[in-house]
Amino acid sequence: MANLTNNDVFLAFSTYATIVILKMMFMAPLTAYFRITRKAFSNWEDTAMGKKEPEERKKMLQTNPDVERVRRCHQNDIENIIPFVVIGLLYAFTGPDLSTALLHFRVFVGSRFIHTVSYVLALPQPSRGLSWVVGMITTFSMAYRVLTTALLL
Amino acid sequence: MANLTNNDVFLAFSTYATIVILKMMFMAPLTAYFRITRKAFSNWEDTAMGKKEPEERKKMLQTNPDVERVRRCHQNDIENIIPFVVIGLLYAFTGPDLSTALLHFRVFVGSRFIHTVSYVLALPQPSRGLSWVVGMITTFSMAYRVLTTALLL
Amino acid sequence: MANLTNNDVFLAFSTYATIVILKMMFMAPLTAYFRITRKAFSNWEDTAMGKKEPEERKKMLQTNPDVERVRRCHQNDIENIIPFVVIGLLYAFTGPDLSTALLHFRVFVGSRFIHTVSYVLALPQPSRGLSWVVGMITTFSMAYRVLTTALLL
């Protein structure tokens, strides 16, 4: 245990993994915000707040472009941040230099914040595409080190 | 290695993380159950069981409210349980008291079971909303300890 | 730290977890490939490549069966590979025999490659269903060992 908490790369990983997971979790309240302000819900029981008339409630069972956009951004986070966390953890155990590890963690987490802003604000491409690619390459780079260091098939 | 398996917080984390991941995996057979009983599939090749006439099969390529409800519940599990597992693992390495750690793990796992029951049975709000918020707060509490203990930017 | 990198089961887990996560990440460029070749996008800003006339771009905001199939395959990966990674990591800490652990990791990773091929090529059932079940059983088997070894409620 002391091994891990005395290890700077593991501490850095813990910090950046927690930050980027919290960013991912933030998409949920953002979705809720858009659902409430746009009156666009998926579940009948969610439409009971305030309005009580069945016709009013039925209208609220709709899809909304802003809600769907945030949900796609959330899904993209799941598809990219979770691989980063898994491979980043294994990478931290391969004993990389702290500066190299920090570079990977900072570039990835930075790219995902830019990705979220690009997606939610619908910035023109290639802002979102580039930030997604940068995150992918960072994870691939760590995966390469894991496989070349730990390969046991 | 012995460090980890002699560590009670890590053992407790392993237990609760496994239980709540198994609960999440259970959503897949539940989806299959509703797909089969409601005859609502997404893939043409899945409609070949029993019925063989193309018109009958085409009708089975439909969405069904019960199937979609279980799928949304599954997706919510992914969005909440995976952050818990990641942050909970890092939290276990920060050396919390066993009783404090157990409190976090039990509250989170309990909240997710209540969330699933509330969602699948479509219980009136705020049952589902509250159980979701309780799980989020538990994860935030562990993330706070990780960041205050391990912060290395 | 040395404990972990001297541990063969952990090295084997690192190898197979990285390979299967990379396989999952590959679904994203595959989705992009189908989106571009089928001209089926979800975001207005993604339709600006090449064509500039608004009517042409509006037509590209469509769903396409091939894109949706790859996306369902990606989602199924998330629902199955992430539980494997979490439970596999905890399983590696329970001190299983290397040969038993390798069997679990190889069967799971093999089943997911077969699952992807079955899904993307729309092979007749039960090819996809069986490969999915085999992966689930492998994860359950590891979860059983984690719970019987590490149980601390």
Side-chain angles (χ1 to χ4, degrees):
Chain A
M1 210 67 158
N3 287 346
L4 283 175
T5 42
N6 288 337
N7 186 294
D8 278 350
V9 173
F10 184 76
L11 291 183
F13 170 74
S14 295
T15 304
Y16 284 97
T18 301
I19 289 170
V20 79
I21 288 277
L22 289 175
K23 190 227 78 60
M24 184 171 96
M25 292 175 75
F26 169 70
M27 303 314 287
L30 193 64
T31 304
Y33 167 78
F34 279 110
R35 282 200 182 284
I36 291 164
T37 56
R38 269 62 171 172
K39 295 183 182 168
F41 298 92
S42 297
N43 299 295
W44 173 253
E45 66 268 26
D46 300 354
T47 60
M49 291 177 288
K51 300 284 178 188
K52 294 289 174 194
E53 292 170 51
E55 285 121 81
E56 292 269 12
R57 290 178 63 180
K58 254 178 210 164
K59 279 186 200 158
M60 295 165 80
L61 288 179
Q62 57 178 342
T63 56
N64 173 279
D66 297 332
V67 172
E68 295 309 306
R69 179 172 284 277
V70 177
R71 291 182 62 218
R72 287 196 299 273
C73 182
H74 198 168
Q75 183 68 13
N76 195 279
D77 272 357
I78 290 170
E79 292 169 8
N80 288 276
I81 289 174
I82 297 167
F84 163 80
V85 168
V86 172
I87 290 177
L89 177 70
L90 302 175
Y91 169 80
F93 291 132
T94 64
D97 288 339
L98 178 61
S99 57
T100 314
L102 277 172
L103 183 68
H104 281 85
F105 301 158
R106 285 170 183 161
V107 168
F108 181 84
V109 174
S111 77
R112 295 311 300 182
F113 274 92
I114 294 170
H115 182 272
T116 301
V117 171
S118 306
Y119 215 147
V120 175
L121 301 184
L123 299 186
Q125 290 282 25
S127 56
R128 192 185 97 232
L130 265 186
S131 58
W132 172 73
V133 166
V134 167
M136 290 281 272
I137 290 172
T138 313
T139 306
F140 287 148
S141 168
M142 296 192 301
Y144 178 78
R145 183 175 166 98
V146 171
L147 288 181
T148 51
T149 311
L151 193 71
L152 194 159
L153 286 165
Chain B
M1 210 67 157
N3 288 345
L4 283 175
T5 42
N6 288 337
N7 185 293
D8 278 350
V9 172
F10 184 75
L11 291 183
F13 171 74
S14 295
T15 305
Y16 285 97
T18 302
I19 289 170
V20 79
I21 288 278
L22 288 175
K23 190 228 77 60
M24 183 171 97
M25 292 175 75
F26 169 70
M27 303 314 287
L30 193 64
T31 303
Y33 168 79
F34 278 111
R35 282 199 182 284
I36 291 164
T37 55
R38 269 62 171 174
K39 295 183 181 167
F41 298 92
S42 297
N43 299 295
W44 175 252
E45 66 269 26
D46 301 353
T47 61
M49 294 177 284
K51 300 284 180 191
K52 294 288 177 195
E53 291 170 51
E55 284 120 80
E56 292 269 13
R57 290 177 63 180
K58 254 177 211 164
K59 278 185 200 159
M60 294 165 80
L61 288 178
Q62 57 178 341
T63 57
N64 173 278
D66 296 332
V67 173
E68 295 308 306
R69 179 173 283 277
V70 177
R71 291 181 62 216
R72 287 195 299 273
C73 183
H74 199 169
Q75 182 68 14
N76 196 279
D77 272 357
I78 290 171
E79 292 169 7
N80 287 276
I81 289 175
I82 297 168
F84 164 80
V85 168
V86 172
I87 289 175
L89 178 69
L90 302 175
Y91 169 80
F93 290 132
T94 64
D97 287 339
L98 178 60
S99 58
T100 314
L102 277 172
L103 181 68
H104 281 85
F105 301 157
R106 285 169 182 161
V107 168
F108 181 85
V109 174
S111 78
R112 295 309 301 182
F113 274 92
I114 295 170
H115 182 272
T116 300
V117 171
S118 306
Y119 214 146
V120 175
L121 301 184
L123 299 186
Q125 289 283 24
S127 57
R128 193 185 96 232
L130 266 185
S131 58
W132 173 73
V133 166
V134 167
M136 290 281 273
I137 290 171
T138 313
T139 306
F140 287 148
S141 168
M142 295 191 301
Y144 178 79
R145 184 174 165 98
V146 172
L147 289 181
T148 50
T149 310
L151 193 71
L152 194 159
L153 286 166
Chain C
M1 210 67 158
N3 286 347
L4 283 175
T5 42
N6 288 336
N7 185 292
D8 278 350
V9 173
F10 184 76
L11 291 183
F13 171 74
S14 296
T15 304
Y16 284 97
T18 302
I19 289 169
V20 79
I21 288 276
L22 288 175
K23 191 226 78 59
M24 183 171 98
M25 292 176 74
F26 169 70
M27 304 314 287
L30 193 64
T31 304
Y33 167 78
F34 278 110
R35 283 200 182 283
I36 291 164
T37 56
R38 269 62 171 172
K39 294 182 181 166
F41 298 92
S42 297
N43 299 295
W44 174 252
E45 65 269 26
D46 299 354
T47 61
M49 293 176 287
K51 300 284 177 188
K52 295 289 176 195
E53 290 168 51
E55 284 120 82
E56 293 268 12
R57 291 177 61 179
K58 254 178 211 164
K59 279 185 201 160
M60 296 165 79
L61 289 179
Q62 56 179 343
T63 57
N64 173 278
D66 297 332
V67 173
E68 296 308 306
R69 179 174 283 277
V70 177
R71 291 181 63 216
R72 287 196 298 274
C73 183
H74 198 169
Q75 183 69 14
N76 196 280
D77 273 357
I78 290 170
E79 292 169 8
N80 288 276
I81 290 175
I82 297 166
F84 164 79
V85 168
V86 172
I87 289 176
L89 178 69
L90 301 175
Y91 168 80
F93 290 133
T94 64
D97 287 339
L98 178 60
S99 57
T100 314
L102 277 172
L103 182 68
H104 281 85
F105 301 159
R106 285 169 182 162
V107 168
F108 182 85
V109 174
S111 78
R112 294 311 300 183
F113 275 92
I114 295 170
H115 182 273
T116 300
V117 171
S118 306
Y119 215 147
V120 174
L121 301 183
L123 299 186
Q125 289 285 23
S127 57
R128 192 185 95 230
L130 266 186
S131 58
W132 172 72
V133 165
V134 167
M136 290 280 273
I137 290 171
T138 314
T139 306
F140 288 148
S141 168
M142 296 191 300
Y144 177 79
R145 185 175 165 98
V146 172
L147 289 181
T148 51
T149 311
L151 193 71
L152 194 158
L153 286 165

